[in-house]
Amino acid sequence: MMKVVWGMQEADGVSVDIARLEELARQILIEIGEDPTREGLLETPRRYAK
């Protein structure tokens, strides 16, 4: 079971920092030459983090 607590998710006793995952996804997009503010990519970091 997974629960969200103040931007953190806990699954099987492991906490995951959702905001950090979103930032890392943005960084990956930048590193591969994409613009994370481009309309088609705006929600990608959030989707990735979930």
Side-chain angles (χ1 to χ4, degrees):
M1 180 174 191
M2 192 176 291
K3 65 180 180 179
V4 176
V5 181
W6 296 320
M8 299 282 286
Q9 281 189 1
E10 190 174 294
D12 299 325
V14 177
S15 292
V16 178
D17 185 343
I18 300 302
R20 178 74 176 132
L21 287 176
E22 286 185 28
E23 180 56 33
L24 290 171
R26 279 186 204 85
Q27 288 296 91
I28 289 170
L29 290 171
I30 290 168
E31 290 297 322
I32 64 171
E34 291 289 348
D35 176 4
T37 62
R38 180 170 64 84
E39 184 178 341
L41 293 176
L42 280 174
E43 296 298 317
T44 299
R46 182 186 56 79
R47 286 192 309 266
Y48 171 81
K50 281 186 159 192

